[in-house]
């Protein structure tokens, strides 16, 4: 969510904040705002598609700062879209903005774009660090506000909607939360994070002591993620301030300020709505009144008891009850073990596929992973080959369809995709969604590997935590178009080996003894990285191929999660993939093939590389 122009206005004025020392407190954190902020701060390369290692390190440092100040963080993440899908126009607009940003980056222009697997890497980092988190069933704002008020602690976010919520301990914008500058405290209180807290009282005082109960009406009238009332343009064109100028005229933020001043003359929202409706046509008035009423409820803190989730692991909300999903699906969604993509496909039969920095003249990188998504849809919506056999003439009517929003060249396009019918072996009565949990692991593993086109035997020599990425890599090689070339494949495998080397040499456990040759190899690798840090060449076709790999890995992760992880989940935070490194290795392999021997001083890593190469080559 977000209120148009409010963040800019509040930051420009600067006088609506109070200084705050954050320590010895609980802190409710908007997870989406945090991972965007930390990713953008952890890299300056947004073209090459995902340096998840440095991002995970930044996540660790952030929560390390909180721990030093005895701050107990509780992260709350957005879930899927609301069942009524009111936010769809806003989401389509944001997808179009990301598409423009990706196109600009592909042409060498500036811009920022969060890479595809950032959210998954963030969830894994939270789990590894032991930070409590919950994934809400839908939009998280109201539940964040409800939990913060229950505990009487601040909200940390970067969302102007929290300027409007009635928060007992206030809203701290991430832009003013100086977690990298922890200050030593005096006496027993200890260290603190310097921060600033938005003051609703100062804000309302500035606008002629505006009653804060009118702020939700202001948010709705001004325009937010849920509502953009064209009918109110009549109001803005007609209403005038005391000074005689129209609300919508004048300097920057004039409309926002004019609206707040106009509202300040009313004692409460009902009175203001009655006055507003007089400017509209009679046949519109009751419909607009009802729309304003329901939209203002979006700024009422939720009565969902997140405290119960953090204490007992139970997440209950009205929307989840109405959705009538299997208990294990609801539990997995709340614990972040299933992505919002799954609930969107299941409840709305509609999904967004996020764009990357790819070749806009080629089909979307997501098209490579389409068969994996179709199996996911088949599992969620229960399709069997027996159904087709029973009535071939009605086959197309009986296969459920999911609406996907993806790019077609440089525009956002809606496509309807049929769910896959599952192989007969997987279509007994167990394969209704609520009984999926009872299906033997061997059957679930077989479905995963058959989807990826991989025989179980070829994964036997692969370490368990790399089996899923290797299986996905085999799929990528077979299904990508244009075909993967050997330099791209070797660059990706060498990146994976460097992640392995980092994982075993960077283990904080003092009891783990590292082989000397592994340490030597890792130090040599770090020196090699430092020598040629800048990569001037950007190969858009190679970037497109690596984007396809990430799309396949994302859907491989989702399918594996849906099947209760028959293969170990790979750790994105341990440098399994690094966009900057894979691009550099690709460029160097083209000119200096000996780079393939980068880890030759470690016999163990050389063996790992050869095993990986032989497996995918087979």
């Amino acid at each position: 969510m977000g209120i148009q122009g409010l963040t800019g206005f509040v930051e420009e004025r600067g006088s609506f904040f109070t200084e705050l020392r954050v320590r010895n407190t609980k802190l409710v954190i908007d997870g989406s705002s945090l991972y965007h902020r930390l990713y953008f701060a952890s890299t300056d390369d947004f073209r090459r598609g995902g340096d998840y290692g440095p991002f995970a390190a930044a996540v660790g440092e952030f929560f390390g700062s909180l721990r030093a100040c005895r701050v107990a963080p509780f992260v709350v993440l957005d879930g899927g879209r609301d069942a009524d899908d009111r936010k769809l126009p806003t989401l389509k607009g944001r997808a179009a903005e990301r598409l423009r940003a990706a196109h600009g980056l592909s042409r060498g222009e500036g811009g920022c774009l969060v890479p595809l697997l950032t959210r998954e890497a963030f969830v894994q980092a939270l789990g590894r660090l032991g930070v409590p988190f919950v994934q809400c069933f839908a939009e998280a704002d109201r539940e964040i506000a409800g939990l913060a008020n229950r505990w009487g602690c601040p909200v940390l976010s970067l969302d102007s909607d929290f300027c409007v919520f009635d928060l007992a301990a206030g809203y701290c914008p991430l832009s003013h939360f100086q977690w990298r500058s922890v200050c030593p405290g005096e006496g027993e209180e200890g260290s603190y994070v310097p921060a600033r807290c938005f003051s609703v009282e100062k804000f309302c005082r500035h606008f002629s002591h505006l009653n804060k109960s009118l702020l939700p009406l202001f948010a709705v009238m001004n325009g937010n993620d849920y509502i953009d009332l064209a009918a109110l343009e009549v109001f803005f064109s007609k209403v005038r301030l005391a000074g005689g100028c129209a609300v919508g005229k004048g300097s920057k933020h004039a409309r926002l300020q004019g609206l707040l001043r106009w509202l300040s003359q009313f004692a409460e929202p009902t009175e203001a709505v009655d006055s507003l409706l007089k400017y509209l046509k009679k046949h519109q008035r009751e419909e607009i009144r009802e729309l304003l009423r329901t939209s203002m409820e979006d700024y009422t803190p939720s009565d969902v008891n997140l405290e119960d989730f953090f204490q007992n692991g139970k997440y209950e909300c009205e929307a989840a009850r109405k959705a009538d999903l299997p208990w294990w699906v609801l539990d997995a969604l709340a614990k972040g073990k299933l992505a919002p993509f799954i609930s969107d496909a299941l409840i709305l039969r509609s999904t967004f596929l996020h764009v990357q920095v790819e070749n806009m003249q080629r089909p979307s990188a997501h098209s490579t992973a389409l068969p994996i998504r179709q199996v996911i849809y088949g599992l969620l919506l229960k399709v069997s080959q027996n159904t087709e056999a029973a009535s071939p003439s009605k086959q197309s009517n009986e296969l459920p369809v999911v609406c996907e929003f993806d790019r077609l060249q440089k525009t956002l396009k809606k496509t309807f995709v049929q769910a896959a019918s599952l192989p007969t072996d997987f279509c007994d009565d167990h394969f209704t969604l609520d009984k999926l949990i009872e299906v033997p692991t061997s059957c679930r593993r077989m479905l995963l590997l058959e989807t990826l086109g991989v025989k179980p035997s070829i994964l036997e020599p692969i370490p368990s935590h790399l089996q899923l990425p290797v299986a996905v890599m085999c799929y990528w090689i077979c299904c990508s178009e244009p075909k993967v070339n050997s330099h791209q494949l070797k660059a990706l495998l060498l990146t994976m080996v460097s992640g392995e080397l980092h994982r075993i040499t960077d283990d904080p456990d003092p009891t783990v003894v590292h082989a000397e040759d592994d340490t030597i190899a890792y130090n040599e690798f770090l020196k090699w990285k430092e020598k040629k840090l800048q990569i001037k060449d950007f190969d858009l076709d190679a970037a497109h191929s690596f984007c396809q790999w990430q799309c396949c890995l994302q859907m491989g992760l989702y399918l594996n999660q849906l099947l209760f992880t028959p293969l170990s989940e790979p750790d994105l935070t341990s440098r399994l993939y690094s966009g900057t490194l894979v691009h550099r290795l690709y460029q160097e392999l083209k000119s200096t093939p000996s780079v393939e021997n980068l880890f030759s001083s470690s016999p163990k890593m050389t063996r790992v590389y050869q095993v990986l190469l032989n497996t995918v080559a087979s």
Side-chain angles (χ1 to χ4, degrees):
M1 293 172 75
I3 300 162
Q4 294 168 17
L6 184 57
T7 295
F9 173 68
V10 166
E11 291 289 341
E12 200 174 273
R13 298 288 302 190
S15 58
F16 303 132
F17 294 101
T18 56
E19 300 300 318
L20 192 66
R21 296 181 174 187
V22 182
R23 60 184 164 196
N24 307 318
T25 182
K26 290 175 176 171
L27 184 65
V28 179
I29 300 173
D30 175 354
S32 179
S33 287
L34 180 62
Y35 76 71
H36 278 83
R37 181 84 177 175
L38 291 180
Y39 189 84
F40 291 148
S42 69
T43 185
D44 55 5
D45 186 346
F46 299 101
R47 298 180 84 190
R48 292 177 174 84
D51 289 336
Y52 302 112
F55 166 63
V59 174
E61 290 166 15
F62 175 84
F63 288 105
S65 292
L66 298 190
R67 193 165 53 251
C69 301
R70 295 191 291 280
V71 173
F74 294 85
V75 177
V76 184
L77 286 156
D78 288 322
R81 287 142 60 190
D82 289 300
D84 58 15
D85 219 9
R86 285 188 299 145
K87 202 172 173 180
L88 181 60
T90 297
L91 293 173
K92 287 163 70 175
R94 286 186 184 163
E97 285 173 16
R98 279 195 299 269
L99 186 46
R100 286 191 290 273
H103 180 238
L105 284 162
S106 73
R107 291 157 56 94
E109 298 166 10
C112 296
L113 192 72
V114 168
L116 191 65
L117 299 171
T118 308
R119 193 183 199 279
E120 284 71 34
F122 182 64
V123 168
Q124 286 187 353
L126 294 178
R128 185 169 48 79
L129 294 166
V131 175
F133 73 94
V134 64
Q135 182 173 274
C136 295
F137 191 68
E139 180 94 33
D141 289 11
R142 294 183 63 225
E143 293 178 41
I144 289 171
L147 181 63
N149 281 351
R150 180 180 286 266
W151 284 342
C153 69
V155 167
L156 183 65
S157 178
L158 200 55
D159 183 339
S160 54
D161 280 312
F162 290 111
C163 296
V164 169
F165 277 99
D166 190 5
L167 297 172
Y171 155 53
C172 295
L174 270 161
S175 51
H176 294 286
F177 192 77
Q178 300 175 55
W179 63 273
R180 292 192 189 275
S181 305
V182 170
C183 297
E186 311 85 22
E188 294 181 3
E189 289 188 305
S191 303
Y192 63 88
V193 177
R196 301 178 88 193
C197 188
F198 175 76
S199 168
V200 174
E201 288 69 27
K202 286 186 177 183
F203 185 77
C204 290
R205 200 181 309 133
H206 179 78
F207 292 101
S208 308
H209 296 275
L210 172 75
N211 185 335
K212 65 181 180 181
S213 69
L214 287 154
L215 288 177
L217 179 58
F218 153 70
V220 172
M221 290 178 68
N222 187 63
N224 63 13
D225 285 357
Y226 280 113
I227 191 164
D228 183 15
L229 285 174
L232 293 189
E233 290 305 319
V234 175
F235 162 79
F236 283 112
S237 66
K238 290 181 179 178
V239 74
R240 294 191 167 270
L241 305 179
C245 62
V247 166
K249 306 290 184 184
S251 63
K252 184 182 177 186
H253 305 306
R255 173 157 153 162
L256 180 148
Q257 294 181 79
L259 176 57
L260 285 161
R261 290 195 181 96
W262 181 82
L263 286 168
S264 69
Q265 66 188 296
F266 303 106
E268 45 85 34
T270 307
E271 184 186 343
V273 170
D274 287 341
S275 180
L276 157 68
L277 294 177
K278 291 174 185 175
Y279 291 90
L280 307 183
K281 293 177 181 177
K282 286 185 179 178
H283 72 274
Q284 294 178 311
R285 290 177 184 175
E286 290 313 306
E287 181 187 350
I288 298 295
R289 184 194 300 277
E290 181 60 19
L291 195 52
L292 291 171
R293 185 190 66 77
T294 56
S295 298
M296 284 190 285
E297 288 175 0
D298 291 327
Y299 294 95
T300 307
S302 169
D303 56 4
V304 171
N305 187 357
L306 286 188
E307 183 178 42
D308 193 29
F309 175 83
F310 286 117
Q311 289 178 350
N312 307 309
K314 292 180 182 176
Y315 179 89
E316 294 181 357
C317 74
E318 186 62 30
R321 279 192 291 273
K322 286 180 180 176
D324 194 27
L325 301 181
W327 68 267
W328 69 263
V329 173
L330 294 174
D331 185 67
L333 285 168
K335 292 174 180 174
K337 293 178 180 178
L338 287 176
F341 174 91
I342 297 295
S343 57
D344 286 346
L346 186 54
I347 296 167
L348 298 173
R349 296 197 180 189
S350 171
T351 57
F352 277 86
L353 305 175
H354 294 302
V355 71
Q356 301 171 81
V357 182
E358 53 194 84
N359 189 335
M360 300 292 168
Q361 302 308 311
R362 297 194 184 279
S364 164
H366 286 286
S367 59
T368 306
L370 174 60
I372 309 176
R373 294 198 302 279
Q374 288 176 302
V375 172
I376 292 172
Y377 301 152
L379 279 169
L380 293 173
L381 306 173
K382 181 58 174 93
V383 184
S384 74
Q385 287 182 345
N386 297 340
T387 309
E388 293 180 46
S391 180
S393 62
K394 297 181 180 178
Q395 177 179 325
S396 60
N397 293 334
E398 291 177 348
L399 288 171
V401 169
V402 174
C403 170
E404 294 185 338
F405 289 94
D406 193 8
R407 71 163 187 87
L408 178 66
Q409 294 190 329
K410 292 179 283 186
T411 57
L412 187 69
K413 184 173 173 59
K414 179 167 67 174
T415 306
F416 292 97
V417 171
Q418 285 188 341
S421 53
L422 304 175
T424 308
D425 293 349
F426 303 103
C427 289
D428 58 19
D429 291 339
H430 283 300
F431 258 81
T432 54
L433 192 59
D434 58 337
K435 296 287 179 67
L436 181 58
I437 194 169
E438 299 171 16
V439 175
T441 303
S442 59
C443 294
R444 290 185 269 112
R445 188 170 188 263
M446 185 60 71
L447 177 57
L448 175 64
L449 295 182
E450 285 196 1
T451 302
L452 298 176
V454 173
K455 293 178 180 175
S457 57
I458 76 160
L459 295 179
E460 287 173 4
I462 305 295
S464 60
H465 62 284
L466 293 179
Q467 286 182 349
L468 182 60
V470 169
V472 168
M473 196 174 291
C474 294
Y475 173 92
W476 170 64
I477 291 166
C478 291
C479 298
S480 63
E481 187 59 46
K483 291 299 178 188
V484 177
N485 66 44
S486 64
H487 296 317
Q488 292 164 359
L489 172 60
K490 288 176 180 179
L492 196 50
L493 290 175
L494 286 167
T495 299
M496 207 176 281
V497 172
S498 77
E500 278 296 279
L501 194 55
H502 173 82
R503 187 178 62 84
I504 62 175
T505 55
D506 203 45
D507 193 321
D509 186 348
T511 62
V512 175
V513 179
H514 307 304
E516 188 179 350
D517 46 22
D518 288 341
T519 305
I520 292 168
Y522 190 58
N523 289 333
E524 287 175 354
F525 167 66
L526 292 177
K527 286 177 186 173
W528 174 84
K529 275 179 73 178
E530 287 169 8
K531 275 183 197 170
K532 299 178 182 176
L533 205 56
Q534 296 300 321
I535 320 167
K536 293 180 181 176
D537 295 330
F538 181 70
D539 187 320
L540 187 56
D541 284 332
H544 193 84
S545 188
F546 295 133
C547 286
Q548 290 176 324
W549 149 251
Q550 289 204 70
C551 291
C552 296
L553 182 59
Q554 183 188 48
M555 289 305 148
L557 279 169
Y558 289 174
L559 179 56
N560 191 48
Q561 289 171 346
L562 185 57
L563 293 169
F564 300 96
T565 56
L567 294 183
S568 299
E569 181 156 308
D571 186 359
L572 296 167
T573 68
S574 66
R575 290 166 166 76
L576 174 74
Y577 181 82
S578 163
T580 305
L581 178 59
V582 79
H583 274 263
R584 178 173 167 194
L585 284 164
Y586 169 69
Q587 294 290 354
E588 296 230 354
L589 281 163
K590 288 195 297 183
S591 59
T592 316
S594 61
V595 170
E596 194 174 355
N597 303 317
L598 192 57
F599 305 108
S600 58
S601 56
S602 166
K604 182 180 178 182
M605 289 300 112
T606 302
R607 281 195 303 275
V608 169
Y609 175 69
Q610 284 303 327
V611 167
L612 294 175
L613 184 60
N614 293 340
T615 300
V616 296
S618 68

